[in-house]
Amino acid sequence: MADYQGEKNLQKVALTAKEKSELFAEGIITVILLLLLNLSIMVLLQQAIVNNPQLSGGVWMIKNAITIGPNEWHIWSWQNWFVILMGVADVLVVYWRLIRRYHQMQMWHVIGELHYIADGHLDHRINLRVNRDLQRVIDSVNTLVDSTVRSMEEERKIEKSKDELITNVSHDLRTPLTSIIGYLGLIEDNQYQTKEELTKYTHTAFVKAQQMKVLVEDLFEYTKVRQTSTPITKTTFDMEQMLDQLAASFELEANKKGIQINVTCNPAPLMMEADTEKLGRVFNNLIANALKYGKGGKQITLAAEKIGQEAIIKVSNDGQQIPSDSLNQLFDRFYRVEASRSQETGGTGLGLAITQSIVALHGGYIYADSTPELTIFVIHLPLKLGRRIDPQTAGAKSVKE
């Protein structure tokens, strides 16, 4: 954390003229006080020696006892050495006082920077070169501010996401609800001439109510799988067998549209761990989308392959190409490549968002690619269930790199 800002970005604390004057005055006052203290000590010692003959004799003996060098030169004046030692002590005291005062001034500048950030300037960071202990505090504060900013941005995104969700749900519910109220109002007011008209009105209201039911169920499923705490029922199964069962369940619908569903798996069997119920929802959504929107297609291919510790499953069809500018948004909730699809097919726009979230819960990711010849959805899943990916951030891997 000590290199958080980098040495090149750090600036030395620039003292103001007032602070420099205070620092200079601090040094002068300290020097004067130390000189007075030294003088007082010298006077007291002189008085003690003069008034005490025994102390004077002792000092004389010390002078004769202390010698320097091979020639045993005598130190005749203890006073000179005492003055030197006092001078060194004075210099250390002055240095300590000035450094201590300077560190206090650094602290005041840091506090000023903190107040500036607290006033709402969250893009500002403290780039001051200070003493080591205070530098650790600054680095911690900068890291904390960065974390707070990220949390606020994520919170704003979540709030925006919630607002968009409410807006989209309200819009998608309002259209069928308006039709239901309209047709039931006609029945309530006896605005029909024949039994056939009554049957038509009630049938239309029933169909719209079913659309609302599908939307509510998809919305419930979407909000449930978006939570990382959603429980996963771990089951060991054969992926080839699952794909064969899915292909068989869509065989009748595919035959009506002249589409053939093929399944390949390498190796076979391909054993892995997953929540088979949730994973079945993933492939149901992808196959259903291929049947609904793969206009002109003749075949759908489900291919599974084991690579390392992953199973890579591809769901492809040779139908109409998805525009390149729509690929990045395919897994956004309520997104539809064509606005008319909601009326034509009854889609809620939540299917692929649910698919992505379920894959993320399993610790995998999904992306799509589309060319005039082939549209393909590629799913990467771990063979063993382990760490989950947060569904809130799973979109980062939704586009092929």
Side-chain angles (χ1 to χ4, degrees):
M1 190 176 357
D3 296 331
Y4 179 84
Q5 295 294 337
E7 289 295 330
K8 294 183 179 180
N9 296 329
L10 296 180
Q11 301 174 357
K12 189 177 180 180
V13 175
L15 300 181
T16 64
K18 180 181 178 182
E19 289 172 335
K20 291 178 180 178
S21 300
E22 291 178 357
L23 200 60
F24 180 75
E26 182 83 15
I28 295 297
I29 293 173
T30 303
V31 169
I32 293 174
L33 292 175
L34 289 173
L35 290 176
L36 292 174
L37 177 62
N38 295 341
L39 182 60
S40 300
I41 294 173
M42 293 291 292
V43 170
L44 291 173
L45 287 175
Q46 289 288 351
Q47 289 292 331
I49 293 174
V50 171
N51 297 331
N52 192 336
Q54 292 181 351
L55 181 60
S56 178
V59 171
W60 178 258
M61 291 177 63
I62 293 173
K63 290 180 180 181
N64 288 325
I66 299 177
T67 60
I68 297 177
N71 297 325
E72 296 184 351
W73 293 337
H74 290 277
I75 301 176
W76 293 106
S77 177
W78 62 268
Q79 183 175 351
N80 293 336
W81 286 96
F82 181 78
V83 170
I84 292 174
L85 292 175
M86 292 296 291
V88 172
D90 291 345
V91 170
L92 293 176
V93 170
V94 172
Y95 177 78
W96 174 77
R97 289 281 297 176
L98 293 180
I99 286 295
R100 182 171 175 271
R101 186 71 167 177
Y102 179 65
H103 287 171
Q104 287 179 344
M105 292 177 178
Q106 287 182 332
M107 178 65 76
W108 295 340
H109 280 265
V110 171
I111 291 174
E113 296 276 314
L114 289 175
H115 283 300
Y116 183 75
I117 294 175
D119 287 338
H121 303 90
L122 297 179
D123 57 339
H124 181 72
R125 297 295 178 271
I126 305 175
N127 299 324
L128 297 178
R129 183 183 293 111
V130 293
N131 63 82
R132 182 177 299 177
D133 292 335
L134 189 56
Q135 191 67 56
R136 291 196 186 102
V137 175
I138 289 176
D139 294 339
S140 298
V141 168
N142 285 334
T143 302
L144 178 61
V145 173
D146 284 340
S147 177
T148 302
V149 170
R150 286 194 298 269
S151 297
M152 292 174 63
E153 290 176 351
E154 290 175 1
E155 187 68 25
R156 282 195 291 266
K157 289 179 181 178
I158 291 174
E159 289 298 323
K160 182 181 178 182
S161 179
K162 288 179 179 178
D163 292 341
E164 291 176 350
L165 178 61
I166 293 173
T167 300
N168 288 325
V169 170
S170 300
H171 177 269
D172 281 21
L173 286 177
R174 182 173 57 187
T175 301
L177 186 60
T178 301
S179 298
I180 292 172
I181 294 174
Y183 283 108
L184 292 181
L186 292 175
I187 297 173
E188 179 74 15
D189 296 335
N190 295 319
Q191 298 294 319
Y192 57 89
Q193 302 297 327
T194 63
K195 183 178 179 181
E196 287 73 16
E197 283 188 353
L198 175 61
T199 302
K200 177 184 176 182
Y201 293 165
T202 54
H203 176 71
T204 303
F206 176 73
V207 170
K208 297 298 180 181
Q210 284 185 317
Q211 290 181 5
M212 291 180 62
K213 181 176 180 289
V214 171
L215 175 59
V216 171
E217 289 177 346
D218 281 353
L219 183 62
F220 175 75
E221 182 70 17
Y222 171 76
T223 55
K224 185 172 66 174
V225 298
R226 292 282 285 181
Q227 301 172 6
T228 55
S229 58
T230 300
I232 289 182
T233 304
K234 183 169 67 174
T235 304
T236 301
F237 68 101
D238 177 13
M239 175 58 73
E240 181 188 31
Q241 186 177 359
M242 171 180 274
L243 295 180
D244 283 335
Q245 291 175 354
L246 288 165
S249 65
F250 282 95
E251 185 176 3
L252 182 60
E253 182 179 354
N255 288 338
K256 290 180 179 179
K257 296 185 176 184
I259 297 176
Q260 183 178 359
I261 302 179
N262 303 314
V263 176
T264 63
C265 189
N266 181 30
L270 200 168
M271 305 304 297
M272 59 182 295
E273 292 179 354
D275 187 323
T276 53
E277 182 180 352
K278 289 182 172 61
L279 210 55
R281 175 69 183 269
V282 168
F283 295 117
N284 271 317
N285 287 343
L286 294 177
I287 297 172
N289 280 353
L291 291 172
K292 288 180 182 179
Y293 308 132
K295 297 178 181 178
K298 297 299 180 183
Q299 66 177 3
I300 296 173
T301 302
L302 310 178
E305 183 180 8
K306 176 185 176 182
I307 298 181
Q309 298 301 313
E310 280 189 332
I312 301 178
I313 304 97
K314 300 177 181 179
V315 179
S316 57
N317 70 86
D318 58 352
Q320 185 177 357
Q321 180 184 7
I322 298 174
S324 57
D325 57 351
S326 296
L327 285 176
N328 293 350
Q329 306 174 67
L330 274 180
F331 299 96
D332 294 346
R333 62 191 179 202
F334 297 107
Y335 179 78
R336 302 181 181 93
V337 177
E338 298 175 8
S340 61
R341 282 188 175 179
S342 60
Q343 285 78 26
E344 293 176 359
T345 63
T348 64
L350 288 171
L352 289 180
I354 293 172
T355 295
Q356 182 196 66
S357 297
I358 293 175
V359 172
L361 281 176
H362 284 77
Y365 61 95
I366 179 174
Y367 60 83
D369 191 20
S370 186
T371 65
E373 294 78 24
L374 198 67
T375 295
I376 181 171
F377 288 83
V378 183
I379 303 171
H380 288 247
L381 289 172
L383 296 177
K384 299 286 186 180
L385 281 179
R387 183 180 66 87
R388 303 186 189 185
I389 296 177
D390 187 353
Q392 302 288 340
T393 58
K397 291 187 176 181
S398 295
V399 182
K400 183 178 181 181
E401 297 177 358

